[in-house]
């Protein structure tokens, strides 16, 4: 059977959640009597860490040089040192097992293009598995890479864990890549070591790669999240075979505008990915690589940020009631009708939140597990989080 053209795949992409939100709000105005609260985007809004300006100023001449795609060895060494201290890794080689990225978004997208066979016929396309609801980039990546997306439902019934048990054997057989996101956007679920172990067993049995999006790794309520590389190493997989971890400074260091991240794990996969990247060229400017090295080498600012996120989560749930999520700065709240709720929150309370429907997709059974939830980001500190909770409680639909 013929293989779908790239244009057809691009046309298959749905509108991005924020475009859908804009369309939902079109023609409506927020309540003018209330100061707006934007809890829609997961954009940290904390002060710049103190070392940013000094490090940048000291390295401005780097703007006159082309940076290499893989990143300077100094930055990769700083990243490897962070991975070692954060996850207790015995060893990770900065030269072969670490790459730099422009945030996680671009690398989460591009990796599917490196690992999926685009020539497979339409009736035997490789599967890319992903949580549902999900960070929408996984879905866009799978579609444009020519894969068949397969959705792992994250519902209350599974404790919001992506449901591996529901995947049929024929899907595992043709799986090229599984995305996992821990802590999870939007549900706040955290993968425990057992979950990663199970996934690694399946990866060996069915020969696929795991891409672990750990960009919220430093934002958690109590239990510090485990990482895929640490679980792999504990199992004796010192080569991190089949594993790629992606993380960034966007959430950990509240530097989303810097567009700086890491890719780490299996040297073979990294070589393959580097080849693709040497053509697409997502290199980080050298002065920013210096700032990034400083950010991966400092934990004080990360601990200060965590204090603010924990205080915000507590302030929110003290007012709203319910259970504090295990990780990330998102709250994932059940509501009767998520689109109607988001619109009412905007018009009645001047609050922007995302309908869960926009973060999920209709799965194999036609069910979108995001429907019936809204996502709010607690990114403006504890006072704003408490006010957000009061206003969300007052929404009437
Ligand atoms: C789950 C998840 N992964 C990745 C990203 C991308 O972040 P960045 O590219 O800034 O690292 C986001 C951003 O909101 C996210 O929520």
């Amino acid at each position: 059977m013929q293989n779908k053209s790239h244009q057809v795949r691009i046309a298959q992409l749905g509108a991005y959640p924020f475009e859908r939100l804009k369309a939902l709000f079109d023609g409506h105005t927020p309540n003018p009597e209330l100061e707006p609260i934007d809890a829609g985007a997961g954009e940290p809004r904390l002060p710049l860490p103190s070392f940013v300006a000094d490090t940048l100023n000291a390295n401005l001449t780097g703007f006159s040089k082309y940076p290499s795609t893989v990143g300077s060895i100094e930055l990769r060494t700083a990243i490897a040192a962070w991975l070692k201290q954060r996850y207790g890794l015995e060893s990770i080689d900065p030269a072969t097992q670490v790459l730099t990225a422009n945030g996680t978004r671009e690398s989460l997208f591009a990796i599917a293009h490196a690992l999926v066979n685009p020539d497979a016929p339409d009736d035997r396309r490789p599967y890319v598995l992903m949580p549902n609801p999900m960070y929408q980039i996984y879905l866009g990546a799978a579609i444009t890479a020519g894969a068949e997306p397969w959705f792992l439902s994250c519902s209350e019934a599974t404790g919001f864990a992506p449901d591996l048990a529901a995947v049929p054997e024929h899907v595992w057989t043709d799986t090229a890549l599984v995305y996992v996101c821990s802590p999870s956007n939007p549900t706040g679920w955290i993968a425990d070591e057992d979950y990663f172990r199970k996934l690694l067993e399946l990866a060996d049995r069915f020969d696929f790669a795991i891409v672990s999006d750990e960009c919220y790794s430093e934002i958690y309520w109590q239990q510090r999240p485990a990482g895929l590389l640490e679980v792999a190493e504990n199992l004796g997989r010192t080569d991190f075979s089949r594993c790629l971890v992606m993380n960034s400074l966007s959430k950990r260091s509240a530097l989303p505008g810097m567009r700086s991240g890491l890719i780490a794990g299996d040297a073979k996969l990294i070589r393959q990915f580097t080849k693709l990247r040497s053509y697409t060229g997502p290199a980080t400017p050298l002065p920013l690589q210096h700032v990034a090295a400083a950010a991966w080498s400092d934990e004080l600012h990360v601990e200060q940020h965590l204090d603010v996120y924990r205080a915000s989560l507590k302030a929110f749930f003290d007012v709203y009631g319910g259970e504090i999520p295990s990780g990330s700065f998102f709250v994932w709240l059940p509501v009767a009708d998520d689109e109607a709720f988001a619109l009412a929150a905007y018009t009645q309370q001047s609050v922007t939140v995302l309908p869960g429907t926009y973060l999920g997709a209709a799965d194999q059974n036609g069910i979108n597990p995001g429907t019936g939830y809204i996502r709010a980001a607690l990114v403006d500190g504890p006072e704003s989080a408490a006010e957000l909770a009061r206003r969300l409680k007052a929404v009437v639909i």
Side-chain angles (χ1 to χ4, degrees):
M1 194 188 272
Q2 266 293 300
N3 176 282
K4 268 191 196 156
S5 80
H6 200 54
Q7 280 78 4
V8 171
R9 290 186 198 127
I10 291 174
Q12 242 180 291
L13 294 177
Y16 207 66
F18 293 105
E19 285 172 45
R20 293 178 74 181
L21 190 65
K22 207 165 151 250
L24 178 72
F25 290 170
D26 197 27
H28 299 273
T29 45
N31 181 343
E33 284 167 23
L34 292 168
E35 186 77 19
I37 299 180
D38 181 2
E43 179 185 65
R45 298 189 191 120
L46 289 161
L48 273 188
S50 55
F51 53 80
V52 172
D54 290 346
T55 314
L56 188 59
N57 278 328
N59 291 285
L60 288 175
T61 53
F63 280 125
S64 18
K65 292 200 179 105
Y66 274 119
S68 70
T69 306
V70 294
S72 70
I73 193 64
E74 289 79 13
L75 174 53
R76 284 182 288 149
T77 302
I79 289 171
W82 179 75
L83 288 166
K84 276 191 194 169
Q85 69 83 13
R86 168 65 173 85
Y87 295 109
L89 301 182
E90 293 261 310
S91 87
I92 178 151
D93 178 13
T96 59
Q97 294 176 316
V98 177
L99 274 182
T100 63
N102 289 353
T104 49
R105 181 177 177 144
E106 61 86 5
S107 44
L108 286 164
F109 183 84
I111 190 64
H113 292 254
L115 301 185
V116 167
N117 170 14
D119 296 326
D122 277 345
D123 58 354
R124 194 75 199 272
R125 284 199 275 162
Y127 285 101
V128 168
L129 276 53
M130 65 196 73
N132 189 22
M134 84 295 275
Y135 181 52
Q136 295 284 304
I137 298 304
Y138 315 146
L139 180 54
I143 292 172
T144 54
E148 189 67 45
W150 185 273
F151 301 107
L152 305 168
S153 227
C154 310
S155 64
E156 223 177 325
T158 64
F160 295 107
D163 191 2
L164 301 173
V167 181
E169 176 115 357
H170 76 89
V171 172
W172 285 125
T173 306
D174 282 346
T175 293
L177 154 64
V178 175
Y179 285 107
V180 59
C181 180
S182 170
S184 151
N185 167 13
T187 67
W189 167 82
I190 287 182
D192 60 15
E193 296 200 13
D194 261 4
Y195 191 90
F196 281 130
R197 269 197 292 269
K198 177 89 188 121
L199 206 48
L200 282 163
E201 266 170 44
L202 288 161
D204 283 344
R205 200 164 136 216
F206 295 105
D207 188 21
F208 59 79
I210 305 169
V211 172
S212 186
D213 178 356
E214 300 182 5
C215 72
Y216 294 97
S217 64
E218 307 316 291
I219 303 171
Y220 52 94
W221 177 236
Q222 279 169 330
Q223 178 76 29
R224 211 176 184 209
L228 177 63
L229 298 185
E230 117 189 73
V231 176
E233 200 189 70
N234 288 343
L235 290 168
R237 303 168 81 102
T238 46
D239 61 355
F240 308 117
S241 56
R242 307 187 195 288
C243 301
L244 282 180
V245 160
M246 304 202 177
N247 203 330
S248 80
L249 296 170
S250 302
K251 319 293 176 179
R252 156 196 160 85
S253 297
L255 292 171
M258 207 168 89
R259 312 309 306 131
S260 181
L262 69 84
I263 301 157
D266 184 331
K268 199 167 124 230
L269 295 178
I270 288 205
R271 260 200 316 279
Q272 199 173 336
F273 198 23
T274 303
K275 196 164 178 193
L276 177 71
R277 294 166 79 74
S278 65
Y279 282 83
T280 56
T284 309
L286 283 170
L288 297 181
Q289 291 196 38
H290 284 280
V291 179
W296 289 113
S297 308
D298 180 81
E299 287 310 300
L300 185 63
H301 74 289
V302 181
E303 284 158 21
Q304 288 165 346
H305 293 175
L306 181 56
D307 287 345
V308 176
Y309 289 124
R310 282 180 167 155
S312 302
L313 284 162
K314 183 166 183 330
F316 183 92
F317 285 95
D318 278 352
V319 174
Y320 198 84
E323 222 176 293
I324 297 181
S326 306
S328 86
F329 47 54
F330 295 112
V331 297
W332 184 241
L333 308 170
V335 294
D337 176 332
D338 52 309
E339 274 193 317
F341 188 98
L343 185 57
Y346 185 66
T347 55
Q348 294 167 18
Q349 299 293 332
S350 219
V351 161
T352 302
V353 294
L354 264 182
T357 300
Y358 300 177
L359 295 167
D363 68 11
Q364 304 67 234
N365 305 311
I367 294 167
N368 180 338
T371 299
Y373 289 87
I374 53 123
R375 188 194 80 176
L378 306 186
V379 286
D380 284 314
E383 247 179 67
S384 168
E387 175 63 11
L388 174 66
R390 275 189 286 277
R391 295 207 206 161
L392 291 180
K393 274 186 95 163
V395 171
V396 182
I397 54 170

